[in-house]
Each structure stands twice: as C-alpha cells, then as structure tokens.
Amino acid sequence: MLMEHSTSAVNWQPTNHAKAPGQTIRDALAHVARGADAIAWFQWRQSRAGSEKFHSAVVPHAGPDSARFREVEQLGRIAGRLGELVGSRVEARVAILHDYQAIWASEGPCLPSSELDALEAARTIHRLLHDRGVTADVVHPSADLSAYGVVVVPQLYLVTDEHADAVSAAADAGAQVLVTYFSGISDEHDHVRLGGYPGAFRDLLGVRVEEFFPLGPGETVALTDGTGGWWSEDVQVTDATVVESYAAGPLAGRPAVTRRDVGTGSAWYVSTLPDDDRLGRLLDTLLTAAAVEPTVADLPVGVEATRRSSTDGSWLFLLNHTHTAQTVAASGHDLVADIPAEGSVELAPGAVAVIRET
Amino acid sequence: MLMEHSTSAVNWQPTNHAKAPGQTIRDALAHVARGADAIAWFQWRQSRAGSEKFHSAVVPHAGPDSARFREVEQLGRIAGRLGELVGSRVEARVAILHDYQAIWASEGPCLPSSELDALEAARTIHRLLHDRGVTADVVHPSADLSAYGVVVVPQLYLVTDEHADAVSAAADAGAQVLVTYFSGISDEHDHVRLGGYPGAFRDLLGVRVEEFFPLGPGETVALTDGTGGWWSEDVQVTDATVVESYAAGPLAGRPAVTRRDVGTGSAWYVSTLPDDDRLGRLLDTLLTAAAVEPTVADLPVGVEATRRSSTDGSWLFLLNHTHTAQTVAASGHDLVADIPAEGSVELAPGAVAVIRET
Amino acid sequence: MLMEHSTSAVNWQPTNHAKAPGQTIRDALAHVARGADAIAWFQWRQSRAGSEKFHSAVVPHAGPDSARFREVEQLGRIAGRLGELVGSRVEARVAILHDYQAIWASEGPCLPSSELDALEAARTIHRLLHDRGVTADVVHPSADLSAYGVVVVPQLYLVTDEHADAVSAAADAGAQVLVTYFSGISDEHDHVRLGGYPGAFRDLLGVRVEEFFPLGPGETVALTDGTGGWWSEDVQVTDATVVESYAAGPLAGRPAVTRRDVGTGSAWYVSTLPDDDRLGRLLDTLLTAAAVEPTVADLPVGVEATRRSSTDGSWLFLLNHTHTAQTVAASGHDLVADIPAEGSVELAPGAVAVIRET
C-alpha cells in the first residue's frame, strides 16, 4: 500500500511544476506496476492554510471543476478494472542492497570525501538496468537473496557480519555479485574493520586496499577502458582477476575493476564509478552470466515494462514516458483501455496499458 | 523627513565603495526631489569602535580636513536656498502597490517557487517607468487610489477583500490596472482564496487559473511577442481578451497576458514577467490610455526629472546621473547654482538643478 | 617540537587524498628544514571509531603490513642520522609579521569588504619569496626585528603603539619595511586611529588616506605598471615618493605604491595587492636594497632550500618537490642517503637531501 503520493506539483522543491495532462494517471499506475495493491493520495482537499497549502490534491484550490480532479475521476474508473491484480507480485532477478544505516553512516562529517553521495552508485546502476528493461528489487541486506541472479552492493559502507556472509553465500550459490567502492568498511557500530579495506568483502572479492584516493567534484580518472568518477583507491589483488586498470594519475597501472570466481558465481569489485557506457557493458556481462532477461524484448526507448504475476496469471504493465506513440508486442486484454491486445499494443504519448496476458 | 542616509560608503554590503566626488550632494537632493522636507545623516562623527565604525559620516575618521566633510558643507549652503520647497508635494499619476505583509507571506517556505522574488516585478516596472521619465508613487494597498491613471499590483500575494475591492473600483472609475502573477492568492490570514487563482482579482480580470507552472532559475518561456520569466501558469479566460499567449512549453497556445475592459478603465493581467522590451511596450499602452505624461519631454537618458508643487508654484528637479554634460529644457531660477534658467539648463556631469519654474 | 602532523590523508578536507609514495618522508623533513628538533604524528594507530577514524596514522587500518608504515620506518632510520642538528636554527633575514588578534579583528562583520582575506597578502608575499629561494620568518609583531633586512607588514589591521613603533624603528635602523593596505587602522582595543588611515603607520609611510575603495570579488584595477587586486584607496602623499599610480577607475592618477626613505632604511606602502609579477619585482628591489640573498644560488624551480646552522656548523636542506630529477650545487655529507656530496647533489623526484656542509 502506497501511503501517499501527489496528483500534481509538490511544495518542497525549489521550483514546483504541475504535472502534464495524463501524468497523474501514469504516475499512479507506475506504483501499481511496481507492486502496490493500494495507492493513496496526499491530500484530499488542497488545504487553504498551513505549510502544505501549495501541495497538489485530489480536489485542488480551484475546486472539482478542474482538469486535475477529472483526471483522478478517470483513474478511479481504471482502478475499478484492476482488482484482479491484488496479491500478485513483481518478481525481479536483480537485487540492489539498500540500507539507511549505511547511508547515514557514510554521509557524516570527516569521511575521506565530503562529496561522496551514498546513493550515486545505486541510482546509476538502477538507471542503467532500467534502460535495459531489467527490473530490479531494492532490498535491505537482510533480505533473502537466494532468488537473485545478480546482487548489487552499492557503497554499503556499514554492514554486519551476518549480512556480509549472506552476500558471499549468494555468490557461492551462483549469483553475480557486484560490490562498489567504500563498501564493507565498518561493522554495525561504525567500527572500521581492520586489516585492509573493504574489510567485510575483502575475502569474497580477493582484493586489499591500503589507502583511498577519492576524486574531487567533477574530477574523473582514465581507465584502460572508459573513465571513472567520484572515487579511486589503491587496489591490491590477492585472489582475483584484473578486469580493468587505472590508466592515469597516481594509481596508473593499478587495478580498478576485478573479478573473483567463487563457488558457481562471481564477485566483482568496482573501485571507482565507471562512466555509463563502461558500467553498462559491465552490467551486460553480469546479466548474461546470470541469464537475466529484460521483461519484454525490443522495448522502445522511454517505455517502461514491468510484470506482476501470481498463481492466477500475469499482468504486463507498459508505461509510455515519451511524447510520441509507441508499439510493444503483447497479447491479452488491456485493462486500462478495456480492449483486447492481439499481438501488439499501441501506446499513445504518455499512455499506460495493463495487459492481462494470455 | 528622511531619518538617515549616508554621506559615502555603508558598512553592510559585501564590498562597500566610497561615493564619487559630488555624489553625496546628488544623492541627498534625490531624496528632496522625491518629497523629503528634511534629510538626516547617519552618522555625525564616524564612530571609532563598534559594528558601524566603517559606515561613513559627516565627519569621517580622517576628520573635518577631508573632501567628504567639505562636500557636506557645500550641501548645507545649497540647502539654505531650498526652504521655499517645504510642504510642496510630488504628484504622481502612477501608483505601485507595496505591502510588507504580502511580501513576507510570499517569501516563506513551501511555496510554488522558492526562487520567486516578491519585489522583482515591482522593481522592474518601477525601473521601466523611470526610464520613461514617469514618476510613480509606491503606496500601501489602503491608499486612496482615485488620483491615479495607472495602478500596478505587482505580486500582491496576500490582500484583504477591502483592498481588492479598492483596486476593482479604481479600474471601474477609469484607471488602467495592471495585475501580475501570484497576486490576490490569499486573504489577510494567508488563507488561500478558493475557486481558482488569482482569487481576489479573478472577477476583475476575467481569468481563472487552476495550476501554476513556475519557471526555474534563469528559465524563460517564449511568448507570441517576447519572452516571459520567473513564472507561468495555465490561464483560462472567462471574460477577458487575450493580449499575448505562451508560444512554447507545456502552456503553448494558452493565454499569457489578458485585458478586461471594466467601467471606464481596464484590468490587465500578466501571468509571467515579460522581458523589458515587451513589458515596456505594454506600459506604454497603459500610459497612453491613461494620458499619463513624463515629467519633462525629451529627457536625456540618465537624467532624472521630478516635480514638486504646491499652491505657491512648482519646482523641477533635474539630476544628471551620467558622466557627461546634459541639457534639459526648463525656465525659472536654479536654486542650486543660484542662477536664472532661461529656456534650458546645462547640467555638468553628476550635477543637480532645482528650478523654481516660471 | 612539531606537536602533530599526518603520515598521509587528513580527514577534514572536502576531498582527502592520500600522499604520494615518498611524500611522508619529504613532508616530515620539510618541518625539520624549517627548524623542528622533534616531529610527532597524529595518530599512532589509526582509530577504528570516532570522528578521526579516517585520518591517516603511523599504523593504518590496513596494519603494519602497508607501504605507509614501511615509509615511516624508513624515516626512522633517516632520523637516526639527524641528531647532530638538534639545537641548530634557521636564520632568516626577512620577517613577515603575523598576529591572530589582527586577523580576527579584520575578518569580522561590517568591514569595508567582506571579501578581504587577512592572510592573502601574507601568503602571496611568502610564496613570492619562496619562489626566489629566500627564507622568511613568520613572527609576531612583538618579535625582535633587529636582525631582519626586510620586514613585511601584511594587512596588520590592528596594532599596538609599541609594535608600530618597533616597525618604525626597524626602518630607521636600516630595514626595508613593506606595509600593505588595511594595516595600522586600529589599536589593540579595535578603536580606529583617527586623523586618516593607516593611522599607526601614517607618519612612517608619509601617506594619508581619507576613504577606502575595496575591490569586489575577482575585480582588478590597472596600475601604471601591472594591476592591483582586492583593495584600493585614495592615497594622499604627505611625505613620500610615488612609485606607482592607479591608471583607471575612480582613483586614476592617484598614488598606489609609495616609498619614504627614513633613517638608513625605507618604508614602502602598497595600497592594493599588485599582481605576482609586479609585486615580485618590488620584492626584488627591497631584497637588493637589503642585500638579502637566496639560500642557494641558481636553485631549480620546485626545489626548496633551507639552511640550519649553529656554532657547530651548518646543514643545507634540499627538497625536490618536482616529478623529475634535479641537481643542486653543494658539498659535504648527505645525512639522508648517508653518502658524500662532492660539489653537487643529485635529487631523485620527490627526494630530500640534508647536507652537513664543509
């Protein structure tokens, strides 16, 4: 159940733009596409006073005689046809670990870099997967990792022994594990793990780091293939294969990206944040190794595809985030337009289809 | 009575420059030109200690043997000839409404745009009028508006029913009223007026707005004639003529500037801040419609002209803000130089004349 | 005794870079070169927890099996050969006055310029002297100035009568004294000295200033030779020779740099901060007049040279801050490499030599 989202503009951004016509419906269904069985709004009537009076609402200041209210009414009619989805789940084969304790600990003062953004690597990898039509779960390190073919550990600065062991076990059991810089540094009390970074993942990755070389704002470092940003460090390989090296600066010639085969899986380490092209190709390698496929083949750029499934069947969500019409291969019944989909679905600009698949 | 002003540098700017030679006199007389019967200084002797020790004074740290002190002495001699002005008034035919309650309320947190500057529209319009040699009064919304040909309502976010009615009455009685975006939104308790923006002026202007589309820092939007900045919004015309429309972006084709003829006057609405050229031409239209003339015809660029008048006569102030000599048509007696003005006045760079007009 | 310094990265910069290999030794010996008889580290073991856990240490998180620890061990072996230096002193012939009271007072609020950096002139002059191979002492205004050929008074905003008198006495006794803008303004209670700036040094310098014209961020002003930054002011010469004038802006034609011969020395005033080239040539003039020589003639760019001496002899420190090998003329025994120096010393990139001179 999504506790709250907005029909249009919020009130806490520097500039709060109204949503485009149709975007209220698309944004709402995007949450259903990711697993919500209920979506609630903040706020019913737009408040006349107080700090949230310029946050959008189901009934805006202008009243029910408004385009925004009519769009919510239309969404209500669509929602009336989506009841059969309740209880179905999105099943992803990629997990991205996410832990607020680790984020808070790695954004405090007096760290190697005040510029480091704990979510940067996570968001970048999520975006690159999204561009590839691959759905990823964002899960806590305590989650059951057994069903995932790819496990991403993005700047998980602080981690318990138990959670670090679970990551290692996932690799051992066949997963492609990707760990980024500044992970596994501390335990749950923010006590640094001694003996060389990245303490909790040193054995899994087969690398040992003595010192960090964080990059300044906007600074990049050349790699043998591509460039790295945000961070670099002096990686020693103890039991791993060098995939990519630094090609310039104080670390020229030292390892930048490594791989260690472990059990039936592999543990990859990126000691910098490679540029999108290079990191995307690295992800392609991992996805292929783990036999992870996109939700829909040949998905047009800008169309988002997600599948919910249950013992009763499966439902394909197609969201057209572009300003042009798009065509996607699918068969079944479109619950939004309430029409059959026979081999392909035509999506108007900004439109959404929810196909009960045959 | 001007409570305080400075002989030279202040102490609270990032960089505090001393005034140019002669500027002390010109700045002081600029206040008299705008209606002051008395002008006082902060401070007499420049303090040796404390947070204002680097604020300029009549007697600077250097002592009375200083150019600044001698310039104040010279001003004293001029002031001795200006006593006949006391009680005369500047009579403007343009009013710009100004209310600190509205400014404070529209600069708080959680508004549609944190970039919005409550004084931006007011300052811009005042400057454009100044460039045209037109004197404007800056008055509280409770002021008597009956004598004004043009009434400007710049971002008057918060307004009482009584003051909004007075603006409407001014239009009805023949004034050209110009209301800008984000005006009339709230009542005096900062409770938003419901039913569509700009609540208090919706009927006067004949427009209704459901949602705002504020522009980001430095962002502009194309209009059918010129460009707009700071703000835009989805204007529906209920009883007005479209003067100008948005030409790009999410509001392309929607009204940007409107006019509603009311009684013997007109109510204009600008839902964005047009560029100087476009807004200047709009002001020209209003000034012409209201038969408002500049203080002096053919005034050179950079010369400021203001007139004070009383039952005893009138006095024309001419301030040369340029670095070159300027000539202005005027006849009477120049109280500054204490010489007759016979048809024209020659103003040295930076000089001031106060002509008792014949 | 240097209370603490770091083996590698600190933890309080925006981006904390590790030191390059060899830099730990060079940085440590740089302190010895400047007179330290003991150098201590913060911290012994890198802490596991707390706000300084990412500050480098003798024993890093990685443990004693680390390049950094081995470099400290190597430094220990070098230090074992440097005991004979204890008690020797660096003898400089240039003094730069430095007083935290003056700095704090001139960085408060409500000053003529909020951009003024109290250390800017001091750092600039120190750097230009360093580039010339000239060693400068940084001393409190209460220091004995009798041994110095050049005394620099950089933005000494606040000064006691006693210390101002000592500066005048130094000039009288033969020193070349260089005073910069915004010096001598206040007494020790931050009470401004009246009668014209720079109060405490007005008679010494033979100038009188009525008003300041500070420059804005990045602003420069043309001089008759070069440009000035940060500050300008309206200088009247009462008993001095004009060396350089302002060539543009509101002060065009007024004095910018002056000299007054006093006793057997001279007192120079710079009312702005000339660009490096112009200020460097001015310093050359002062150094020549005071017969101050660099530590070593023909020193390569990027090599630092300092001499410690005592009744037992003298030791020449040569620090190669460049990435290429450098050769410097010297004879004696190199205590770092523990080899004789016969006429010249070859310094590897980043290397240090400490020559017991014959």
Side-chain angles (χ1 to χ4, degrees):
Chain A
M1 175 174 177
L2 181 72
M3 294 302 289
E4 50 181 51
H5 73 318
S6 72
T7 61
S8 189
V10 293
N11 66 330
W12 42 263
Q13 291 180 324
T15 310
N16 297 290
H17 292 280
K19 292 191 179 184
Q23 193 182 347
T24 305
I25 290 174
R26 190 168 77 255
D27 287 359
L29 293 180
H31 293 291
V32 179
R34 295 276 163 176
D37 281 347
I39 45 170
W41 304 104
F42 177 84
Q43 50 192 325
W44 180 255
R45 282 186 181 279
Q46 191 167 7
S47 33
R48 293 191 64 186
S51 71
E52 294 180 313
K53 62 182 175 295
F54 287 109
H55 189 289
S56 59
V58 172
V59 184
H61 284 150
D65 178 13
S66 59
R68 201 57 63 189
F69 182 74
R70 284 186 285 274
E71 190 167 331
V72 176
E73 284 183 315
Q74 186 187 345
L75 176 65
R77 287 189 291 273
I78 294 167
R81 294 192 288 276
L82 299 182
E84 65 187 63
L85 277 147
V86 171
S88 62
R89 302 288 298 269
V90 175
E91 277 164 28
R93 295 215 49 238
V94 177
I96 298 176
L97 302 197
H98 178 83
D99 177 21
Y100 277 112
Q101 305 281 349
I103 292 170
W104 293 328
S106 71
E107 289 191 336
C110 296
L111 293 173
S113 169
S114 63
E115 293 294 322
L116 209 57
D117 178 340
L119 291 176
E120 182 68 20
R123 282 201 202 96
T124 301
I125 291 169
H126 188 275
R127 173 171 51 77
L128 292 170
L129 291 169
H130 184 272
D131 291 349
R132 283 158 173 74
V134 172
T135 304
D137 282 349
V138 176
V139 300
H140 189 261
S142 63
D144 176 4
L145 303 177
S146 58
Y148 296 110
V150 173
V151 175
V152 179
V153 183
Q155 199 182 313
L156 190 68
Y157 164 77
L158 173 153
V159 66
T160 65
D161 289 350
E162 180 189 355
H163 297 159
D165 289 348
V167 170
S168 295
D172 204 54
Q176 301 291 315
V177 170
L178 177 65
V179 179
T180 84
Y181 55 88
F182 214 45
S183 293
I185 303 300
S186 280
D187 66 16
E188 64 269 39
H189 306 295
D190 199 5
H191 286 196
V192 173
R193 296 168 180 277
L194 301 181
Y197 315 116
F201 300 115
R202 202 169 57 223
D203 292 342
L204 169 65
L205 298 166
V207 301
R208 179 172 179 269
V209 173
E210 293 182 13
E211 289 196 297
F212 301 130
F213 288 72
L215 302 177
E219 193 184 352
T220 57
V221 60
L223 306 178
T224 43
D225 179 7
T227 57
W230 295 88
W231 191 268
S232 65
E233 57 189 26
D234 191 1
V235 178
Q236 303 164 44
V237 166
T238 54
D239 178 22
T241 302
V242 176
V243 175
E244 179 103 42
S245 296
Y246 292 102
L251 301 174
R254 316 284 307 200
V257 179
T258 63
R259 187 189 81 242
R260 178 171 171 259
D261 295 329
V262 44
T264 55
S266 294
W268 303 73
Y269 186 53
V270 287
S271 66
T272 184
L273 188 65
D275 60 86
D276 282 3
D277 175 67
R278 180 64 191 99
L279 185 54
R281 286 185 280 121
L282 189 66
L283 289 171
D284 287 338
T285 303
L286 272 74
L287 293 170
T288 301
V292 175
E293 298 285 342
T295 304
V296 168
D298 301 323
L299 195 66
V301 171
V303 177
E304 184 179 355
T306 319
R307 181 173 282 111
R308 292 181 63 154
S309 53
S310 73
T311 52
D312 297 336
S314 69
W315 294 263
L316 177 64
F317 283 74
L318 298 170
L319 298 97
N320 183 1
H321 294 295
T322 75
H323 292 92
T324 54
Q326 302 286 354
T327 305
V328 181
S331 292
H333 188 83
D334 178 359
L335 299 174
V336 173
D338 203 12
I339 54 171
E342 295 169 336
S344 76
V345 178
E346 186 79 14
L347 293 158
V352 179
V354 181
I355 312 294
R356 183 201 306 128
E357 294 179 301
T358 49
Chain B
M1 175 175 177
L2 180 71
M3 294 301 289
E4 51 181 51
H5 74 315
S6 72
T7 61
S8 188
V10 294
N11 65 329
W12 42 263
Q13 292 180 325
T15 309
N16 297 292
H17 292 280
K19 292 190 179 183
Q23 193 182 347
T24 305
I25 290 173
R26 189 167 79 256
D27 289 357
L29 293 180
H31 294 290
V32 179
R34 295 277 163 175
D37 281 347
I39 46 169
W41 304 105
F42 176 83
Q43 50 193 326
W44 180 255
R45 283 188 179 277
Q46 191 167 8
S47 33
R48 292 192 64 187
S51 70
E52 294 180 313
K53 62 182 176 295
F54 287 110
H55 190 289
S56 60
V58 172
V59 183
H61 284 149
D65 178 13
S66 59
R68 200 59 60 188
F69 182 75
R70 284 185 286 272
E71 189 167 332
V72 176
E73 285 183 315
Q74 187 187 346
L75 176 64
R77 288 188 290 272
I78 295 167
R81 294 190 289 274
L82 299 182
E84 66 188 64
L85 278 147
V86 172
S88 62
R89 301 289 298 268
V90 175
E91 278 164 28
R93 294 213 50 237
V94 177
I96 298 177
L97 302 197
H98 178 83
D99 177 22
Y100 277 111
Q101 305 280 348
I103 293 170
W104 294 328
S106 71
E107 290 192 336
C110 296
L111 292 173
S113 168
S114 62
E115 292 296 322
L116 209 57
D117 179 337
L119 291 175
E120 182 67 21
R123 281 202 202 97
T124 301
I125 291 168
H126 188 275
R127 174 172 51 78
L128 292 170
L129 291 168
H130 184 273
D131 290 349
R132 283 157 173 74
V134 172
T135 303
D137 281 351
V138 176
V139 300
H140 188 260
S142 62
D144 176 5
L145 303 177
S146 58
Y148 297 110
V150 173
V151 175
V152 180
V153 183
Q155 198 182 313
L156 190 69
Y157 163 79
L158 173 154
V159 67
T160 65
D161 288 349
E162 181 190 356
H163 297 158
D165 289 349
V167 170
S168 295
D172 204 53
Q176 300 292 313
V177 170
L178 177 65
V179 179
T180 83
Y181 55 88
F182 214 45
S183 292
I185 303 300
S186 279
D187 66 16
E188 65 270 39
H189 306 295
D190 198 6
H191 285 196
V192 174
R193 296 168 178 276
L194 301 180
Y197 316 116
F201 300 115
R202 201 169 57 221
D203 292 343
L204 168 65
L205 298 166
V207 301
R208 179 173 179 269
V209 173
E210 293 183 13
E211 288 195 297
F212 301 130
F213 288 72
L215 302 177
E219 193 183 353
T220 58
V221 59
L223 306 176
T224 43
D225 179 5
T227 58
W230 294 90
W231 190 268
S232 64
E233 57 189 27
D234 191 2
V235 177
Q236 303 163 45
V237 165
T238 54
D239 178 23
T241 302
V242 176
V243 175
E244 178 101 43
S245 297
Y246 291 102
L251 301 174
R254 316 284 307 201
V257 179
T258 62
R259 187 191 79 243
R260 177 169 172 260
D261 295 327
V262 46
T264 55
S266 295
W268 302 72
Y269 185 54
V270 286
S271 66
T272 183
L273 189 64
D275 61 85
D276 281 3
D277 175 68
R278 180 64 191 99
L279 185 54
R281 285 185 281 120
L282 188 67
L283 290 171
D284 287 337
T285 303
L286 273 74
L287 294 170
T288 300
V292 176
E293 298 286 342
T295 305
V296 169
D298 302 323
L299 195 66
V301 173
V303 176
E304 184 178 356
T306 318
R307 181 173 283 111
R308 291 180 63 154
S309 53
S310 73
T311 53
D312 296 335
S314 68
W315 294 263
L316 177 65
F317 284 72
L318 298 170
L319 298 98
N320 183 1
H321 295 294
T322 75
H323 292 93
T324 54
Q326 303 286 355
T327 305
V328 181
S331 291
H333 188 82
D334 179 0
L335 300 175
V336 173
D338 204 12
I339 54 172
E342 293 168 338
S344 77
V345 177
E346 185 80 14
L347 294 158
V352 178
V354 181
I355 312 294
R356 184 201 304 129
E357 295 179 300
T358 49
Chain C
M1 174 174 177
L2 180 71
M3 294 302 288
E4 51 181 53
H5 73 318
S6 71
T7 61
S8 189
V10 294
N11 66 330
W12 43 262
Q13 291 178 325
T15 309
N16 297 292
H17 291 280
K19 293 190 178 182
Q23 194 181 347
T24 305
I25 290 174
R26 191 168 77 255
D27 287 359
L29 292 180
H31 293 290
V32 179
R34 294 277 163 176
D37 281 346
I39 45 171
W41 304 105
F42 176 82
Q43 50 191 326
W44 179 255
R45 284 188 180 277
Q46 192 167 6
S47 33
R48 293 192 63 185
S51 71
E52 294 180 312
K53 63 182 177 294
F54 288 110
H55 189 289
S56 59
V58 172
V59 183
H61 284 149
D65 179 12
S66 60
R68 200 58 63 189
F69 182 73
R70 284 185 286 273
E71 189 166 332
V72 176
E73 283 182 316
Q74 186 187 346
L75 176 65
R77 287 188 291 272
I78 295 167
R81 294 191 289 274
L82 300 182
E84 66 189 62
L85 278 147
V86 171
S88 62
R89 301 288 298 270
V90 176
E91 277 165 28
R93 295 213 50 236
V94 178
I96 299 177
L97 302 196
H98 179 82
D99 177 21
Y100 277 111
Q101 306 280 350
I103 293 170
W104 293 328
S106 71
E107 290 192 336
C110 297
L111 293 174
S113 168
S114 62
E115 293 295 321
L116 209 56
D117 179 338
L119 291 176
E120 182 67 20
R123 281 202 202 97
T124 301
I125 291 169
H126 188 275
R127 173 172 51 78
L128 292 170
L129 291 169
H130 184 273
D131 291 351
R132 282 158 173 73
V134 172
T135 303
D137 281 349
V138 176
V139 300
H140 189 260
S142 63
D144 176 4
L145 303 177
S146 59
Y148 297 110
V150 174
V151 175
V152 180
V153 183
Q155 198 182 312
L156 190 69
Y157 163 79
L158 173 154
V159 66
T160 65
D161 288 349
E162 181 190 355
H163 297 160
D165 289 347
V167 170
S168 295
D172 204 53
Q176 300 292 314
V177 170
L178 177 65
V179 179
T180 83
Y181 54 87
F182 214 46
S183 293
I185 303 300
S186 279
D187 66 17
E188 65 269 38
H189 306 296
D190 198 8
H191 286 196
V192 173
R193 296 168 179 277
L194 301 180
Y197 315 116
F201 299 115
R202 201 168 59 222
D203 292 342
L204 169 66
L205 298 166
V207 301
R208 179 173 180 269
V209 173
E210 293 182 14
E211 288 196 296
F212 302 129
F213 287 72
L215 302 177
E219 193 183 353
T220 58
V221 59
L223 307 177
T224 43
D225 180 6
T227 58
W230 295 88
W231 190 268
S232 65
E233 57 189 28
D234 191 1
V235 177
Q236 302 165 45
V237 165
T238 54
D239 177 21
T241 303
V242 177
V243 175
E244 180 103 41
S245 296
Y246 291 102
L251 301 174
R254 315 284 306 201
V257 179
T258 62
R259 186 190 80 243
R260 177 170 171 258
D261 295 327
V262 45
T264 56
S266 294
W268 302 72
Y269 186 53
V270 288
S271 66
T272 183
L273 188 64
D275 61 85
D276 282 2
D277 175 67
R278 180 65 192 98
L279 186 53
R281 285 184 281 121
L282 189 66
L283 290 171
D284 287 336
T285 302
L286 273 73
L287 294 170
T288 301
V292 175
E293 298 286 341
T295 305
V296 169
D298 302 322
L299 195 65
V301 172
V303 176
E304 185 178 355
T306 319
R307 181 173 283 111
R308 291 180 63 154
S309 53
S310 73
T311 53
D312 296 334
S314 68
W315 294 263
L316 177 64
F317 283 73
L318 298 169
L319 299 96
N320 182 1
H321 295 295
T322 75
H323 292 92
T324 53
Q326 303 286 354
T327 305
V328 181
S331 291
H333 188 82
D334 178 0
L335 299 174
V336 173
D338 203 11
I339 53 171
E342 293 169 339
S344 77
V345 177
E346 185 81 13
L347 293 158
V352 179
V354 181
I355 312 294
R356 184 201 305 130
E357 296 179 301
T358 49

